């Protein structure tokens, strides 16, 4: 039987329907564009905020946990106070010296994976319990200090990707508060924990929390390109307009 002219074939109807569904899905997953042409904030930014706060808290746990343990380290490794102070001082010095190169790496390579590498390397202090001598312990702290440059300078770029101008100061304030809280918690708890676990295990515990944080970041961390989302939204909007005209 001959199909009458002008009646669409069922296969073409199905293909058209599937194309329309794909365009609608693209429009819903792309960033929404406001009337002013601005990309609206994503709800996923709250996950990103929690991840940045987690990093700052775990980093704060590690940086000054050495302070209450210095007398024990001096006794076990037979080093003077000047040498023991390097365990903190070298970290601060390396952070200052490597901040600019770390930020450049974050702009040159995928931000998520630069931060993931830094976060994993920062957790190297988890091996403090196995340090056979002072030089090995200092080497772990040096790696810790250098690795922090892959995360700290790039957190600002990450926050700017996900948050509006009004939200950025709040997120930065929370991050500063969390790193201070981590420092206070480690200094307060290190002495009592060292009495129970020994100073080496106590020095390793913050590295465990940092390692867990790194795994969580690899699983949940995302970066956001506003320019790419604008293009996706415009493409989706163009397809929708074309369909409406058709």
């Amino acid at each position: 039987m001959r199909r009458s002219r002008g009646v669409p074939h069922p296969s073409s109807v199905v293909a058209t329907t599937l194309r329309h569904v794909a365009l609608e899905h693209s429009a819903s997953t792309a960033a929404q564009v406001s009337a002013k042409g601005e990309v609206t904030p994503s709800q996923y930014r709250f996950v990103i905020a929690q991840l940045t706060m987690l990093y700052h808290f775990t980093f704060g746990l590690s940086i000054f946990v050495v302070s209450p343990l210095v007398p024990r380290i001096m006794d076990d490794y037979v080093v003077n106070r000047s040498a023991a102070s390097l365990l903190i001082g070298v970290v601060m010095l390396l952070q200052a010296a490597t901040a600019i190169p770390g930020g450049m790496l974050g702009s040159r390579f995928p931000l998520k994976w630069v931060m993931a590498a830094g976060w994993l390397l920062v957790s190297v202090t988890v091996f403090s319990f196995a340090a056979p001598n002072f030089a090995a312990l200092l080497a772990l702290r040096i790696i810790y200090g250098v690795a922090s440059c892959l995360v700290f300078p790039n957190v600002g770029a990450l926050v700017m990707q996900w948050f509006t101008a009004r939200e950025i100061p709040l997120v930065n304030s929370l991050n500063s508060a969390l790193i201070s809280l981590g420092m206070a918690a480690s200094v307060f708890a290190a002495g009592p924990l060292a009495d129970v676990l020994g100073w080496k295990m106590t020095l390793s515990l913050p590295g465990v929390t940092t390692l867990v944080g790194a795994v969580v970041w690899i699983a949940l961390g995302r970066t956001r390109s506003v320019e790419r989302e604008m293009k996706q939204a415009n493409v989706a909007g163009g397809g929708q307009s074309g369909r409406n005209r058709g």
Side-chain angles (χ1 to χ4, degrees):
M1 184 181 224
R2 224 168 167 182
R3 186 174 300 278
S4 59
R5 187 174 298 175
V7 178
H9 193 276
S11 61
S12 65
V13 174
V14 172
T16 303
T17 303
L18 290 175
R19 185 165 59 252
H20 289 173
V21 170
L23 285 171
E24 290 173 359
H25 177 71
S26 176
S28 64
T29 55
Q32 295 181 350
V33 181
S34 68
K36 297 181 180 180
E38 298 174 345
V39 177
T40 58
S42 167
Q43 294 298 315
Y44 202 77
R45 71 191 190 280
F46 297 113
V47 176
I48 299 300
Q50 293 177 58
L51 289 172
T52 62
M53 288 187 284
L54 175 63
Y55 173 76
H56 283 80
F57 179 71
T58 57
F59 187 87
L61 287 176
S62 297
I63 192 167
F64 284 130
V65 68
V66 174
S67 296
L69 306 177
V70 164
R72 303 170 195 252
I73 295 171
M74 291 170 58
D75 290 342
D76 279 12
Y77 289 148
V78 193
V79 294
N80 57 35
R81 188 171 296 275
S82 297
S85 66
L86 291 175
L87 296 173
I88 297 175
V90 74
V91 173
M92 310 300 291
L93 181 62
L94 288 170
Q95 283 181 341
T98 58
I100 293 176
M104 293 173 64
L105 287 172
S107 64
R108 193 175 186 88
F109 299 100
L111 186 60
K112 173 178 178 175
W113 298 110
V114 170
M115 292 181 63
W119 207 328
L120 284 170
L121 288 172
V122 164
S123 65
V124 73
T125 55
V126 73
F127 298 110
S128 298
F129 72 92
N133 51 48
F134 180 78
L137 185 62
L138 183 60
L140 292 176
R141 299 290 292 181
I142 289 173
I143 295 172
Y144 167 79
V146 172
S148 66
C149 81
L150 298 176
V151 186
F152 263 120
N154 295 312
V155 167
L158 183 71
V159 170
M160 290 180 68
Q161 287 179 4
W162 285 94
F163 295 91
T164 64
R166 290 185 178 182
E167 294 170 334
I168 288 173
L170 175 60
V171 177
N172 289 338
S173 298
L174 289 172
N175 286 336
S176 297
L178 265 292
I179 195 170
S180 298
L181 181 62
M183 292 176 185
S186 64
V187 171
F188 177 79
L193 283 173
D195 292 335
V196 177
L197 302 175
W199 71 263
K200 287 189 176 182
M201 287 301 299
T202 301
L203 203 54
S204 296
L205 285 178
V208 176
T209 63
T210 309
L211 182 59
V212 171
V215 172
V216 174
W217 167 255
I218 291 171
L220 301 178
R222 295 182 190 173
T223 55
R224 185 185 187 205
S225 171
V226 173
E227 291 80 6
R228 183 174 66 247
E229 292 181 359
M230 286 286 288
K231 289 179 182 178
Q232 290 175 349
N234 289 335
V235 169
Q240 182 72 26
S241 299
R243 187 172 78 252
N244 291 338
R245 287 195 299 269

